Amino acid sequence: METTLVLVKPDGVQRGRIGSIIARFEAKGLKLVGLKLMQPERALLEQHYAVHAERPFYGSLLKFMSAGPVAALALEGEGAIGVVRTLVGPTNGAEAAPGTIRGDYGMSKSFNLIHASDGAETAASELALWFGEGTLDYDLNSLGWVNDPEA
Ligand code: CMP
């Protein structure tokens, strides 16, 4: 079982896409174990995007991500990190395939609506950053019909 971090970025929030993005993850069979709307502090964004600190777009990325509220989601499921990345699609919405979130909703490489952790280590550190208080442990009864217990 894996847990991964998803952020609906300020463009996704302002364009009214929080609900439709969450609906895709719910419909897929992922379990929502964390959900909050927040105006991220610059220090949080600096930590989250530290790996991009030397990239030419780093300044504009932080400005964009600070421009309004962000919805943070923690999603759990078997292979959740890869499954979520597949649903999200590649960075550039103009090139992302239809059926992916970025492919259906986006036109831009920078204003790309959503962030998703790209691996197990990243997911652990990003969840610690955005959900330092922890995520929620509860039974979601429909999951008995999502994953085959004998597979
Ligand atoms: P994200 O998945 O959050 O990871 C890094 C972000 O940087 C990426 O989504 C984009 O929003 C942004 N980004 C990546 N490449 C570029 C680029 N070439 N120009 C501007 N922004 C970019």
Side-chain angles (χ1 to χ4, degrees):
M1 200 58 75
E2 290 179 350
T3 309
T4 189
L5 177 84
V6 162
L7 302 174
V8 181
K9 298 181 178 185
D11 57 333
V13 175
Q14 295 296 332
R15 292 177 57 200
R17 287 287 140 207
I18 299 175
S20 48
I21 287 173
I22 292 176
R24 287 173 177 238
F25 296 126
E26 287 185 309
K28 182 69 174 169
L30 291 151
K31 180 178 173 184
L32 198 53
V33 293
L35 175 62
K36 60 185 169 187
L37 188 65
M38 55 194 285
Q39 175 61 54
E41 301 280 344
R42 190 173 170 93
L44 172 61
L45 294 171
E46 284 173 355
Q47 287 185 73
H48 178 81
Y49 281 125
V51 68
H52 295 304
E54 305 304 322
R55 306 286 281 272
F57 57 81
Y58 178 71
S60 53
L61 176 60
L62 258 57
K63 184 176 171 207
F64 159 56
M65 289 297 294
S66 306
V70 164
L73 283 59
L75 293 166
E76 184 185 284
E78 286 184 19
I81 297 167
V83 169
V84 167
R85 294 279 293 185
T86 301
L87 294 185
V88 166
T91 303
N92 189 345
E95 295 169 1
T100 64
I101 292 168
R102 287 171 173 159
D104 285 351
Y105 301 150
M107 293 285 285
S108 164
K109 192 189 276 183
S110 48
F111 286 16
N112 61 1
L113 294 130
I114 183 165
H115 167 84
S117 306
D118 64 4
E121 276 182 31
T122 323
S125 63
E126 291 180 351
L127 286 163
L129 265 184
W130 293 85
F131 287 97
E133 70 279 23
T135 54
L136 203 63
D137 185 19
Y138 66 100
D139 289 331
L140 185 60
N141 295 326
S142 59
L143 287 185
W145 295 98
V146 171
N147 299 306
D148 180 353
E150 293 180 18

